[in-house]
Amino acid sequence: MTIKRAALGCAVGGAIVAAIAGTGLLQAEASKEVNIYSYREPGLIKPLLEAFTKQTGIKTNVVFAKKGLIERAAAEGRNSPVDVLLTVDIKRLADAEAKGLAQPVKSAQIDANIPANYRDPDGNWIGLSQRARLIYASKDRVKQDTITYEELALPKWKGKICARSGQHPYNIGLLASLVSHLGAEKAEAWARGVKENLARKPAGNDRAQVKGIYSGECDIAIGNSYYMAAMQTNTKKPEQQEWANSVKLLFPNAEGRGTHVNISGAVLAKHAPHAAAGLKLIEFLASEEGQRIYAERVNEYPLREGIAASERVASWGALKADKLPLEAIAKHSPKASEIMDKVQFNLGPQS
């Protein structure tokens, strides 16, 4: 009986050791991948993720959607597979934090590479690149080379502006900055004035607005800087190169407070199953190599000091960025959304 018990004890003990070893093995294997929910288009982040995998050996699994990923992660709760959430604006970063989806990131490497004003003080989100909200203007029909956002509401632009949805985070961010600078009443008057100057109901993405200028539907539009580079280099859809060639870029308020800028950024998910791998990804995106890829291949403005914009982006002109804190944009975003609804921006002019 003693021998049998001893044998049984050895068998059980061996099974426990094997289970522990197996668990360790599974954890080791799990650390070789990272799950990403991305609001960023796959083509834009592909060079970054390929470089990350090459450097670390960690596989990246990406779920892309234009909207709803924050809500999806919140609904999944502790069972969510997401490790890192990649967003395209400060509003979504703030939304993820507000919904309790973030865990604080503590990394000396990130702190050294990304200036403090582009990071949440508590580490709940990290900015990774900067984009400017510029004016696309017809080379043939717009003679001026300077402009302000405020000017877009003047009667001179009646029927000459194209825009995407007023509720899109890019336009909400811009309007939130105007709420901060001008106050809610003047920002509402601006939104109403721009709406009445639209050539049509808001529709499409930023590229579609450039197409509208090319076709003569409108003379100017508001768009993010990196879309211009994406069109200029699009060999798969050469018609977009023609659209891009029909416009010039104007940096609004360059002679005053500066051009409105927003950021792309990352959140390390609160219940990340591969948190260590997720942190490595964010550290890579903030690293010198990652920031160079943002600049040279994604054609966005890097946040790491000492990394220059690409030659293509630099050729458009110098960016004087509005110094408005990102927290102010996040704070005033709900009011901006309310204003867009109040003036019925998405119904177009004379509605």
Side-chain angles (χ1 to χ4, degrees), residues 19-29:
I20 293 173
T23 301
L25 179 61
L26 288 174
Q27 290 175 341
E29 289 299 320

Side-chain angles (χ1 to χ4, degrees), residues 235-263:
T235 56
K236 293 183 179 180
K237 296 181 179 180
E239 67 274 15
Q240 291 192 7
Q241 294 180 332
E242 293 184 40
W243 304 348
N245 192 48
S246 72
V247 307
K248 58 185 177 181
L249 295 178
L250 306 182
F251 290 76
N253 299 80
E255 298 176 0
R257 65 178 178 270
T259 299
H260 167 66
V261 293
N262 211 320
I263 60 170

Side-chain angles (χ1 to χ4, degrees), residues 319-340:
L319 170 65
K320 177 186 176 182
D322 186 352
K323 299 299 184 182
L324 183 69
L326 294 172
E327 290 81 1
I329 297 174
K331 174 184 176 182
H332 293 298
S333 288
K335 184 62 179 179
S337 179
E338 177 187 321
I339 288 172
M340 286 296 193

Side-chain angles (χ1 to χ4, degrees), residues 74-130:
E76 291 168 338
R78 292 182 176 274
N79 296 320
S80 178
V82 65
D83 298 306
V84 174
L85 178 71
L86 297 179
T87 80
V88 292
D89 61 286
I90 181 60
K91 180 180 182 298
R92 284 191 174 123
L93 291 172
D95 285 349
E97 179 184 358
K99 285 182 168 60
L101 300 180
Q103 64 170 290
V105 168
K106 296 181 180 180
S107 167
Q109 181 178 332
I110 292 174
D111 291 350
N113 287 331
I114 303 298
N117 56 314
Y118 295 114
R119 292 183 276 110
D120 176 62
D122 297 321
N124 289 310
W125 53 262
I126 298 94
L128 296 171
S129 67
Q130 190 177 59

Side-chain angles (χ1 to χ4, degrees), residues 132-147:
R133 200 78 177 137
L134 305 181
I135 301 299
Y136 302 143
S138 169
K139 288 180 179 178
D140 296 331
R141 301 185 298 277
V142 177
K143 303 306 178 184
Q144 66 191 68
D145 292 319
T146 61
I147 200 168

Side-chain angles (χ1 to χ4, degrees), residues 1-10:
M1 181 66 69
T2 303
I3 294 174
K4 288 182 179 180
R5 287 178 178 172
L8 180 60
C10 288

